[in-house]
Amino acid sequence: MWRAACRVLSAPSSAGAVAGRAVGEASSWRRLCPRRRRAQVPPPHLSLSPVCVRGRPAWPSDAARFFIRKINTATMPEINTNDLDEQQVQLLSEMCILIDENDNEIGSETKKNCHLNENIDKGLLHRAFSVFLFNTENKLLLQQRSDAKITFPDCFTNTCCSHPLSTPLELEENNAIGVRRAAQRRLKAELGIPLEQVTPEDIFYLTRIHYKAQSNGTWGEHEIDYILFVQKNVTLNPDPNEIKSCCYVTQEELRELLKKASRNEIKITPWFKLIAETFLFKWWDNLNSLKKFVDHKIHRMC
């Protein structure tokens, strides 16, 4: 079914990376003044300094302390990226938005450092989004990630999955407008959808999930993921470095795809599996009345 219906793209081999490419390790950090003033001493492996509350030094609260921290760049693991795809390695220098467990922005860090399991195990958490785009026939656009992708290559997943960047436009939080702008940007970058065909106003913010997953021994994900819905007919021109294939599917076809994944006949991304098994089909049945399902609390799935 999938092979017959999908547009299969020729993805470049990840073995053609240029040796010696350095990924920027510069990171920025912005400390926030906590609302409570309870003095605490951070664990020795954290590089927090006290912040100011009414002229007095104070440490972040217990709930935030684990997440509101900067991992010393001197202790960041050194990872050889020579064998990875050159275009994907360049993207590792993008600055993701660091957040605490309640999705409060607490700083920024490179995409590379956000996706290393060694840092994830220390609590590094970033903001992300997953787009589910349906056409007017109520079919869902899926993609198969290219073999060049650093995390979860060759996996089937929802329409588009990525991260807002630590820039003024994408940091703006009112009604998740920054995340929706980032989604518009990545729909263009990955699938070639013209910017005017899907605007931030066309993107519906439904809910958030918090999950963690390893791709391999080195790379993984730890995200609070904004779930975004779009229903429009669009023009597709996928980037083969990002997408191996893409296809519109019915609910029945997706259920069959999930069964194949359960039999290890194909691979799907862990976030897509979680969303599909927990929420997706009830939302899909109500594309014309999604507002009743809006729930901006964070669903903990890790």
PDB file of all heavy atoms in Angstrom, residues 68-97:
ATOM      1  N   ILE A  68      16.175  24.183  35.475  1.00  0.00           N
ATOM      2  CA  ILE A  68      16.719  25.511  35.249  1.00  0.00           C
ATOM      3  C   ILE A  68      18.201  25.478  35.580  1.00  0.00           C
ATOM      4  O   ILE A  68      18.601  25.747  36.698  1.00  0.00           O
ATOM      5  CB  ILE A  68      16.000  26.570  36.103  1.00  0.00           C
ATOM      6  CG1 ILE A  68      14.512  26.558  35.794  1.00  0.00           C
ATOM      7  CG2 ILE A  68      16.565  27.949  35.849  1.00  0.00           C
ATOM      8  CD1 ILE A  68      13.724  27.567  36.580  1.00  0.00           C
ATOM      9  N   ARG A  69      18.977  25.110  34.626  1.00  0.00           N
ATOM     10  CA  ARG A  69      20.398  24.970  34.845  1.00  0.00           C
ATOM     11  C   ARG A  69      21.120  25.042  33.517  1.00  0.00           C
ATOM     12  O   ARG A  69      20.553  24.811  32.461  1.00  0.00           O
ATOM     13  CB  ARG A  69      20.704  23.642  35.512  1.00  0.00           C
ATOM     14  CG  ARG A  69      20.311  22.426  34.671  1.00  0.00           C
ATOM     15  CD  ARG A  69      20.428  21.211  35.534  1.00  0.00           C
ATOM     16  NE  ARG A  69      20.169  20.001  34.804  1.00  0.00           N
ATOM     17  CZ  ARG A  69      20.227  18.805  35.383  1.00  0.00           C
ATOM     18  NH1 ARG A  69      20.549  18.681  36.639  1.00  0.00           N
ATOM     19  NH2 ARG A  69      19.973  17.724  34.694  1.00  0.00           N
ATOM     20  N   LYS A  70      22.356  25.320  33.608  1.00  0.00           N
ATOM     21  CA  LYS A  70      23.200  25.287  32.438  1.00  0.00           C
ATOM     22  C   LYS A  70      24.256  24.229  32.639  1.00  0.00           C
ATOM     23  O   LYS A  70      24.942  24.232  33.639  1.00  0.00           O
ATOM     24  CB  LYS A  70      23.873  26.641  32.214  1.00  0.00           C
ATOM     25  CG  LYS A  70      24.799  26.645  31.015  1.00  0.00           C
ATOM     26  CD  LYS A  70      25.521  27.953  30.885  1.00  0.00           C
ATOM     27  CE  LYS A  70      26.490  27.895  29.724  1.00  0.00           C
ATOM     28  NZ  LYS A  70      27.261  29.142  29.610  1.00  0.00           N
ATOM     29  N   ILE A  71      24.348  23.314  31.705  1.00  0.00           N
ATOM     30  CA  ILE A  71      25.413  22.335  31.759  1.00  0.00           C
ATOM     31  C   ILE A  71      26.671  23.011  31.245  1.00  0.00           C
ATOM     32  O   ILE A  71      26.682  23.584  30.167  1.00  0.00           O
ATOM     33  CB  ILE A  71      25.061  21.112  30.906  1.00  0.00           C
ATOM     34  CG1 ILE A  71      23.782  20.463  31.432  1.00  0.00           C
ATOM     35  CG2 ILE A  71      26.202  20.113  30.900  1.00  0.00           C
ATOM     36  CD1 ILE A  71      23.291  19.321  30.588  1.00  0.00           C
ATOM     37  N   ASN A  72      27.727  22.990  32.027  1.00  0.00           N
ATOM     38  CA  ASN A  72      28.952  23.653  31.621  1.00  0.00           C
ATOM     39  C   ASN A  72      29.377  23.209  30.233  1.00  0.00           C
ATOM     40  O   ASN A  72      29.450  22.026  29.939  1.00  0.00           O
ATOM     41  CB  ASN A  72      30.087  23.312  32.600  1.00  0.00           C
ATOM     42  CG  ASN A  72      30.057  24.194  33.821  1.00  0.00           C
ATOM     43  OD1 ASN A  72      29.728  25.372  33.729  1.00  0.00           O
ATOM     44  ND2 ASN A  72      30.388  23.625  34.969  1.00  0.00           N
ATOM     45  N   THR A  73      29.665  24.182  29.354  1.00  0.00           N
ATOM     46  CA  THR A  73      30.129  23.814  28.023  1.00  0.00           C
ATOM     47  C   THR A  73      31.433  23.051  28.087  1.00  0.00           C
ATOM     48  O   THR A  73      31.749  22.259  27.201  1.00  0.00           O
ATOM     49  CB  THR A  73      30.302  25.076  27.153  1.00  0.00           C
ATOM     50  OG1 THR A  73      31.151  26.002  27.836  1.00  0.00           O
ATOM     51  CG2 THR A  73      28.977  25.730  26.884  1.00  0.00           C
ATOM     52  N   ALA A  74      32.198  23.254  29.157  1.00  0.00           N
ATOM     53  CA  ALA A  74      33.454  22.525  29.304  1.00  0.00           C
ATOM     54  C   ALA A  74      33.207  21.032  29.507  1.00  0.00           C
ATOM     55  O   ALA A  74      34.078  20.208  29.225  1.00  0.00           O
ATOM     56  CB  ALA A  74      34.249  23.084  30.482  1.00  0.00           C
ATOM     57  N   THR A  75      32.002  20.670  30.013  1.00  0.00           N
ATOM     58  CA  THR A  75      31.707  19.262  30.248  1.00  0.00           C
ATOM     59  C   THR A  75      30.816  18.665  29.157  1.00  0.00           C
ATOM     60  O   THR A  75      30.413  17.517  29.265  1.00  0.00           O
ATOM     61  CB  THR A  75      31.009  19.084  31.608  1.00  0.00           C
ATOM     62  OG1 THR A  75      29.742  19.749  31.572  1.00  0.00           O
ATOM     63  CG2 THR A  75      31.852  19.651  32.737  1.00  0.00           C
ATOM     64  N   MET A  76      30.486  19.454  28.128  1.00  0.00           N
ATOM     65  CA  MET A  76      29.690  18.923  27.034  1.00  0.00           C
ATOM     66  C   MET A  76      30.468  17.806  26.339  1.00  0.00           C
ATOM     67  O   MET A  76      31.656  17.960  26.067  1.00  0.00           O
ATOM     68  CB  MET A  76      29.362  20.029  26.021  1.00  0.00           C
ATOM     69  CG  MET A  76      28.332  21.011  26.499  1.00  0.00           C
ATOM     70  SD  MET A  76      26.687  20.286  26.613  1.00  0.00           S
ATOM     71  CE  MET A  76      25.726  21.755  26.996  1.00  0.00           C
ATOM     72  N   PRO A  77      29.822  16.701  26.024  1.00  0.00           N
ATOM     73  CA  PRO A  77      30.543  15.606  25.380  1.00  0.00           C
ATOM     74  C   PRO A  77      31.017  15.984  23.981  1.00  0.00           C
ATOM     75  O   PRO A  77      30.336  16.709  23.260  1.00  0.00           O
ATOM     76  CB  PRO A  77      29.498  14.489  25.320  1.00  0.00           C
ATOM     77  CG  PRO A  77      28.189  15.181  25.412  1.00  0.00           C
ATOM     78  CD  PRO A  77      28.415  16.388  26.266  1.00  0.00           C
ATOM     79  N   GLU A  78      32.187  15.500  23.619  1.00  0.00           N
ATOM     80  CA  GLU A  78      32.717  15.698  22.286  1.00  0.00           C
ATOM     81  C   GLU A  78      32.262  14.538  21.404  1.00  0.00           C
ATOM     82  O   GLU A  78      32.553  13.377  21.680  1.00  0.00           O
ATOM     83  CB  GLU A  78      34.247  15.769  22.327  1.00  0.00           C
ATOM     84  CG  GLU A  78      34.790  17.026  22.990  1.00  0.00           C
ATOM     85  CD  GLU A  78      34.431  18.296  22.220  1.00  0.00           C
ATOM     86  OE1 GLU A  78      34.361  18.217  20.979  1.00  0.00           O
ATOM     87  OE2 GLU A  78      34.195  19.329  22.856  1.00  0.00           O
ATOM     88  N   ILE A  79      31.527  14.852  20.357  1.00  0.00           N
ATOM     89  CA  ILE A  79      30.981  13.828  19.484  1.00  0.00           C
ATOM     90  C   ILE A  79      31.544  14.023  18.082  1.00  0.00           C
ATOM     91  O   ILE A  79      31.506  15.119  17.523  1.00  0.00           O
ATOM     92  CB  ILE A  79      29.441  13.903  19.436  1.00  0.00           C
ATOM     93  CG1 ILE A  79      28.859  13.712  20.843  1.00  0.00           C
ATOM     94  CG2 ILE A  79      28.882  12.868  18.471  1.00  0.00           C
ATOM     95  CD1 ILE A  79      29.143  12.361  21.457  1.00  0.00           C
ATOM     96  N   ASN A  80      32.066  12.951  17.511  1.00  0.00           N
ATOM     97  CA  ASN A  80      32.595  12.999  16.147  1.00  0.00           C
ATOM     98  C   ASN A  80      31.433  12.937  15.166  1.00  0.00           C
ATOM     99  O   ASN A  80      30.667  11.965  15.153  1.00  0.00           O
ATOM    100  CB  ASN A  80      33.553  11.825  15.925  1.00  0.00           C
ATOM    101  CG  ASN A  80      34.284  11.935  14.594  1.00  0.00           C
ATOM    102  OD1 ASN A  80      33.772  12.504  13.636  1.00  0.00           O
ATOM    103  ND2 ASN A  80      35.490  11.381  14.543  1.00  0.00           N
ATOM    104  N   THR A  81      31.269  13.974  14.362  1.00  0.00           N
ATOM    105  CA  THR A  81      30.166  14.027  13.399  1.00  0.00           C
ATOM    106  C   THR A  81      30.642  13.809  11.962  1.00  0.00           C
ATOM    107  O   THR A  81      29.882  14.036  11.026  1.00  0.00           O
ATOM    108  CB  THR A  81      29.455  15.388  13.499  1.00  0.00           C
ATOM    109  OG1 THR A  81      30.396  16.440  13.242  1.00  0.00           O
ATOM    110  CG2 THR A  81      28.840  15.598  14.869  1.00  0.00           C
ATOM    111  N   ASN A  82      31.865  13.342  11.799  1.00  0.00           N
ATOM    112  CA  ASN A  82      32.425  13.204  10.458  1.00  0.00           C
ATOM    113  C   ASN A  82      31.643  12.229   9.584  1.00  0.00           C
ATOM    114  O   ASN A  82      31.613  12.376   8.355  1.00  0.00           O
ATOM    115  CB  ASN A  82      33.883  12.741  10.535  1.00  0.00           C
ATOM    116  CG  ASN A  82      34.798  13.815  11.097  1.00  0.00           C
ATOM    117  OD1 ASN A  82      34.410  14.978  11.184  1.00  0.00           O
ATOM    118  ND2 ASN A  82      35.997  13.428  11.496  1.00  0.00           N
ATOM    119  N   ASP A  83      31.031  11.231  10.182  1.00  0.00           N
ATOM    120  CA  ASP A  83      30.321  10.226   9.407  1.00  0.00           C
ATOM    121  C   ASP A  83      28.856  10.569   9.173  1.00  0.00           C
ATOM    122  O   ASP A  83      28.125   9.773   8.590  1.00  0.00           O
ATOM    123  CB  ASP A  83      30.407   8.866  10.117  1.00  0.00           C
ATOM    124  CG  ASP A  83      31.822   8.317  10.135  1.00  0.00           C
ATOM    125  OD1 ASP A  83      32.601   8.659   9.225  1.00  0.00           O
ATOM    126  OD2 ASP A  83      32.149   7.567  11.071  1.00  0.00           O
ATOM    127  N   LEU A  84      28.429  11.758   9.626  1.00  0.00           N
ATOM    128  CA  LEU A  84      27.041  12.164   9.459  1.00  0.00           C
ATOM    129  C   LEU A  84      26.878  13.024   8.219  1.00  0.00           C
ATOM    130  O   LEU A  84      27.838  13.583   7.688  1.00  0.00           O
ATOM    131  CB  LEU A  84      26.576  12.934  10.701  1.00  0.00           C
ATOM    132  CG  LEU A  84      26.671  12.175  12.032  1.00  0.00           C
ATOM    133  CD1 LEU A  84      26.249  13.086  13.179  1.00  0.00           C
ATOM    134  CD2 LEU A  84      25.830  10.908  12.005  1.00  0.00           C
ATOM    135  N   ASP A  85      25.653  13.141   7.763  1.00  0.00           N
ATOM    136  CA  ASP A  85      25.351  13.933   6.576  1.00  0.00           C
ATOM    137  C   ASP A  85      25.706  15.405   6.792  1.00  0.00           C
ATOM    138  O   ASP A  85      25.370  15.992   7.827  1.00  0.00           O
ATOM    139  CB  ASP A  85      23.864  13.798   6.257  1.00  0.00           C
ATOM    140  CG  ASP A  85      23.444  14.630   5.068  1.00  0.00           C
ATOM    141  OD1 ASP A  85      23.648  14.190   3.927  1.00  0.00           O
ATOM    142  OD2 ASP A  85      22.910  15.744   5.300  1.00  0.00           O
ATOM    143  N   GLU A  86      26.375  16.009   5.825  1.00  0.00           N
ATOM    144  CA  GLU A  86      26.871  17.386   5.970  1.00  0.00           C
ATOM    145  C   GLU A  86      25.751  18.387   6.205  1.00  0.00           C
ATOM    146  O   GLU A  86      25.844  19.252   7.082  1.00  0.00           O
ATOM    147  CB  GLU A  86      27.651  17.790   4.718  1.00  0.00           C
ATOM    148  CG  GLU A  86      28.160  19.220   4.754  1.00  0.00           C
ATOM    149  CD  GLU A  86      28.884  19.613   3.478  1.00  0.00           C
ATOM    150  OE1 GLU A  86      29.039  18.760   2.592  1.00  0.00           O
ATOM    151  OE2 GLU A  86      29.291  20.782   3.373  1.00  0.00           O
ATOM    152  N   GLN A  87      24.662  18.274   5.448  1.00  0.00           N
ATOM    153  CA  GLN A  87      23.559  19.220   5.600  1.00  0.00           C
ATOM    154  C   GLN A  87      22.915  19.093   6.972  1.00  0.00           C
ATOM    155  O   GLN A  87      22.567  20.100   7.610  1.00  0.00           O
ATOM    156  CB  GLN A  87      22.523  18.978   4.504  1.00  0.00           C
ATOM    157  CG  GLN A  87      21.365  19.978   4.509  1.00  0.00           C
ATOM    158  CD  GLN A  87      20.471  19.823   3.285  1.00  0.00           C
ATOM    159  OE1 GLN A  87      20.955  19.531   2.177  1.00  0.00           O
ATOM    160  NE2 GLN A  87      19.173  19.992   3.463  1.00  0.00           N
ATOM    161  N   GLN A  88      22.761  17.870   7.461  1.00  0.00           N
ATOM    162  CA  GLN A  88      22.168  17.665   8.776  1.00  0.00           C
ATOM    163  C   GLN A  88      23.110  18.138   9.886  1.00  0.00           C
ATOM    164  O   GLN A  88      22.659  18.645  10.914  1.00  0.00           O
ATOM    165  CB  GLN A  88      21.807  16.193   8.959  1.00  0.00           C
ATOM    166  CG  GLN A  88      20.696  15.710   8.038  1.00  0.00           C
ATOM    167  CD  GLN A  88      19.372  16.403   8.288  1.00  0.00           C
ATOM    168  OE1 GLN A  88      18.999  16.640   9.437  1.00  0.00           O
ATOM    169  NE2 GLN A  88      18.654  16.737   7.230  1.00  0.00           N
ATOM    170  N   VAL A  89      24.403  17.980   9.697  1.00  0.00           N
ATOM    171  CA  VAL A  89      25.373  18.463  10.683  1.00  0.00           C
ATOM    172  C   VAL A  89      25.311  19.979  10.802  1.00  0.00           C
ATOM    173  O   VAL A  89      25.397  20.544  11.892  1.00  0.00           O
ATOM    174  CB  VAL A  89      26.797  17.985  10.326  1.00  0.00           C
ATOM    175  CG1 VAL A  89      27.846  18.712  11.169  1.00  0.00           C
ATOM    176  CG2 VAL A  89      26.915  16.479  10.539  1.00  0.00           C
ATOM    177  N   GLN A  90      25.133  20.667   9.688  1.00  0.00           N
ATOM    178  CA  GLN A  90      25.026  22.129   9.731  1.00  0.00           C
ATOM    179  C   GLN A  90      23.848  22.565  10.599  1.00  0.00           C
ATOM    180  O   GLN A  90      23.933  23.556  11.332  1.00  0.00           O
ATOM    181  CB  GLN A  90      24.867  22.681   8.306  1.00  0.00           C
ATOM    182  CG  GLN A  90      26.128  22.587   7.459  1.00  0.00           C
ATOM    183  CD  GLN A  90      25.889  23.062   6.036  1.00  0.00           C
ATOM    184  OE1 GLN A  90      24.760  23.100   5.551  1.00  0.00           O
ATOM    185  NE2 GLN A  90      26.969  23.415   5.343  1.00  0.00           N
ATOM    186  N   LEU A  91      22.756  21.811  10.550  1.00  0.00           N
ATOM    187  CA  LEU A  91      21.575  22.168  11.335  1.00  0.00           C
ATOM    188  C   LEU A  91      21.793  21.979  12.833  1.00  0.00           C
ATOM    189  O   LEU A  91      21.043  22.531  13.640  1.00  0.00           O
ATOM    190  CB  LEU A  91      20.376  21.338  10.879  1.00  0.00           C
ATOM    191  CG  LEU A  91      19.893  21.573   9.444  1.00  0.00           C
ATOM    192  CD1 LEU A  91      18.787  20.596   9.083  1.00  0.00           C
ATOM    193  CD2 LEU A  91      19.424  23.011   9.256  1.00  0.00           C
ATOM    194  N   LEU A  92      22.810  21.208  13.217  1.00  0.00           N
ATOM    195  CA  LEU A  92      23.063  20.974  14.638  1.00  0.00           C
ATOM    196  C   LEU A  92      23.493  22.234  15.376  1.00  0.00           C
ATOM    197  O   LEU A  92      23.467  22.267  16.606  1.00  0.00           O
ATOM    198  CB  LEU A  92      24.139  19.897  14.817  1.00  0.00           C
ATOM    199  CG  LEU A  92      23.749  18.468  14.461  1.00  0.00           C
ATOM    200  CD1 LEU A  92      24.938  17.543  14.645  1.00  0.00           C
ATOM    201  CD2 LEU A  92      22.567  17.988  15.301  1.00  0.00           C
ATOM    202  N   SER A  93      23.888  23.263  14.645  1.00  0.00           N
ATOM    203  CA  SER A  93      24.303  24.511  15.301  1.00  0.00           C
ATOM    204  C   SER A  93      23.120  25.441  15.584  1.00  0.00           C
ATOM    205  O   SER A  93      23.293  26.475  16.236  1.00  0.00           O
ATOM    206  CB  SER A  93      25.335  25.244  14.447  1.00  0.00           C
ATOM    207  OG  SER A  93      24.789  25.610  13.191  1.00  0.00           O
ATOM    208  N   GLU A  94      21.921  25.096  15.118  1.00  0.00           N
ATOM    209  CA  GLU A  94      20.748  25.911  15.426  1.00  0.00           C
ATOM    210  C   GLU A  94      20.515  25.952  16.935  1.00  0.00           C
ATOM    211  O   GLU A  94      20.801  24.991  17.646  1.00  0.00           O
ATOM    212  CB  GLU A  94      19.504  25.345  14.735  1.00  0.00           C
ATOM    213  CG  GLU A  94      19.530  25.466  13.236  1.00  0.00           C
ATOM    214  CD  GLU A  94      18.266  24.917  12.589  1.00  0.00           C
ATOM    215  OE1 GLU A  94      17.600  24.063  13.216  1.00  0.00           O
ATOM    216  OE2 GLU A  94      17.947  25.346  11.466  1.00  0.00           O
ATOM    217  N   MET A  95      19.978  27.064  17.407  1.00  0.00           N
ATOM    218  CA  MET A  95      19.757  27.240  18.844  1.00  0.00           C
ATOM    219  C   MET A  95      18.311  26.899  19.197  1.00  0.00           C
ATOM    220  O   MET A  95      17.373  27.591  18.799  1.00  0.00           O
ATOM    221  CB  MET A  95      20.092  28.664  19.266  1.00  0.00           C
ATOM    222  CG  MET A  95      21.538  29.069  19.012  1.00  0.00           C
ATOM    223  SD  MET A  95      22.759  28.003  19.834  1.00  0.00           S
ATOM    224  CE  MET A  95      22.469  28.423  21.555  1.00  0.00           C
ATOM    225  N   CYS A  96      18.138  25.815  19.941  1.00  0.00           N
ATOM    226  CA  CYS A  96      16.815  25.413  20.418  1.00  0.00           C
ATOM    227  C   CYS A  96      16.471  26.161  21.707  1.00  0.00           C
ATOM    228  O   CYS A  96      17.340  26.750  22.362  1.00  0.00           O
ATOM    229  CB  CYS A  96      16.785  23.913  20.663  1.00  0.00           C
ATOM    230  SG  CYS A  96      16.957  22.906  19.171  1.00  0.00           S
ATOM    231  N   ILE A  97      15.206  26.116  22.076  1.00  0.00           N
ATOM    232  CA  ILE A  97      14.709  26.801  23.264  1.00  0.00           C
ATOM    233  C   ILE A  97      14.719  25.824  24.429  1.00  0.00           C
ATOM    234  O   ILE A  97      14.002  24.812  24.412  1.00  0.00           O
ATOM    235  CB  ILE A  97      13.290  27.344  23.037  1.00  0.00           C
ATOM    236  CG1 ILE A  97      13.276  28.326  21.858  1.00  0.00           C
ATOM    237  CG2 ILE A  97      12.764  28.019  24.305  1.00  0.00           C
ATOM    238  CD1 ILE A  97      11.875  28.706  21.391  1.00  0.00           C
TER     239      ILE A  97
END
